[in-house]
Amino acid sequence: MFPEVMERIANASKRSGRNIEDITLVAVTKGRSLQEIETAVLSHGHRILAENRIQEWRKKASSLKGIEWHLVGNLQRNKVKYCTEANLIHSLNSHKLADALELQGLKLNHRFRTLIEVNMTGEATKLGIEPENAAALLDYTRTLKHVSVEGLMGMAPFNPNPEMSRASFQRLRKLCNELGLSVLSMGMSGDFEVAIEEGATIVRIGSSLFL
Ligand SMILES: *Cc1c(COP(=O)(O)O)cnc(C)c1O
C-alpha cells in the first residue's frame, strides 16, 4: 500500500538522520495493469514510475500521460531508439550500450540520462558491470555528448533478511562517492529501509505498493 510505503520511507530517513526530500520513490509497475497502477499509485498523486521491458513500457506510456518514466531493466541495444521518453535509464552496463545510446542520441538530438548498473552479487550475471570496471565506463561516457551518467544502480543479492543487503549497499555507496556521483538507486520492496539507511537517493519499489 502506498501510504504504508511512504511512512516506512519517512521513518527510515528519520532514523538515519536523512532528509526525506533527498529520497525519490520510483514505483515499479511491471506486470501491472493500467487499472492496478491507477488504484495503487496514481490515485495517491504519485507520478514517478518505472518499467523493465520496453514493449510493455511503450504501451503503458501511450495510455498514461504526465508520468516521469524510469527504465530499470536490462536494455537491449536495438531498443535504445525507443527510449528518448525515459527520464532516467538505470541500467547502463557496458561500453557497447553507451555507444548505442550515443549513436541514437546523435540521430535523435537527445541526451540520455543514465545510471551505471553495478553487479553487487559477485556472480557472473548480465546484471551490471563489475564494480572495478565502473570507473572506466564512467570515464568513457565523459567522452560522449549524448549520454550523461548521474549515478549508480545496484541490486543486493536476494536474501529474505534485509540486513543481508547492508554490506552490498555500503560498498555501492562507497563506490558512488569515490566516483564523485550523486545519485544512488538501491533498495526494493524487501530491503529499501536498509538502502535508505545506507544512502540511497532512489528506491525502486514494486510489490509492496500493490499488496
Ligand atoms: C521489479 C524490480 C524492482 C522492484 O522489485 P520489488 O521487489 O517488487 O519491489 C526494482 N528494481 C528492478 C530492477 C526490478 O526489476
Side-chain angles (χ1 to χ4, degrees), residues 28 30 52 72 153 155 188-189 204-207:
V28 182
K30 63 175 184 234
N52 69 337
V72 296
M153 184 271 249
M155 261 181 275
M188 320 196 327
S189 290
R204 309 176 311 270
I205 301 179
S207 38

Side-chain angles (χ1 to χ4, degrees), residues 25-189:
L25 167 64
V26 171
V28 182
T29 52
K30 63 175 184 234
R32 311 288 173 173
S33 68
L34 294 176
Q35 188 54 56
E36 287 175 302
I37 296 169
E38 171 59 34
T39 305
V41 181
L42 303 180
S43 68
H44 297 279
H46 193 74
R47 293 288 180 274
I48 308 175
L49 309 185
E51 286 284 329
N52 69 337
R53 291 219 181 87
I54 300 303
Q55 206 179 1
E56 181 180 348
W57 168 53
R58 291 182 78 211
K59 258 193 218 152
K60 286 175 181 168
S62 66
S63 308
L64 299 175
K65 298 299 167 195
I67 304 295
E68 176 182 320
W69 286 108
H70 292 228
L71 292 176
V72 296
N74 188 46
L75 180 58
Q76 289 168 304
R77 279 174 279 155
N78 62 357
K79 302 272 171 67
V80 158
K81 56 179 175 286
Y82 303 121
C83 297
T84 55
E85 307 285 300
N87 281 272
L88 189 62
I89 296 170
H90 291 228
S91 48
L92 177 60
N93 58 5
S94 70
H95 287 65
K96 281 182 174 174
L97 181 57
D99 283 340
L101 289 165
E102 176 65 13
L103 190 68
Q104 285 301 324
L106 189 65
K107 269 193 198 161
L108 303 169
N109 190 26
H110 180 78
R111 187 171 163 94
F112 293 97
R113 297 175 56 219
T114 71
L115 306 178
I116 292 178
E117 182 177 1
V118 178
N119 179 1
M120 307 301 298
T121 67
E123 293 157 21
T125 65
K126 277 192 214 155
L127 295 174
I129 191 166
E130 296 306 312
E132 58 271 27
N133 296 330
L137 180 56
L138 177 63
D139 283 346
Y140 182 66
T141 61
R142 293 200 163 132
T143 68
L144 306 177
K145 288 196 170 61
H146 300 86
V147 181
S148 71
V149 172
E150 306 189 356
L152 302 181
M153 184 271 249
M155 261 181 275
F158 176 78
N159 191 296
N161 176 1
E163 278 304 322
M164 298 303 287
S165 300
R166 192 177 293 278
S168 293
F169 291 154
Q170 287 171 346
R171 281 198 299 277
L172 195 61
R173 179 181 55 178
K174 184 160 173 281
L175 182 59
C176 198
N177 292 347
E178 285 166 2
L179 297 175
L181 296 169
S182 57
V183 180
L184 188 48
S185 168
M186 61 186 193
M188 320 196 327
S189 290

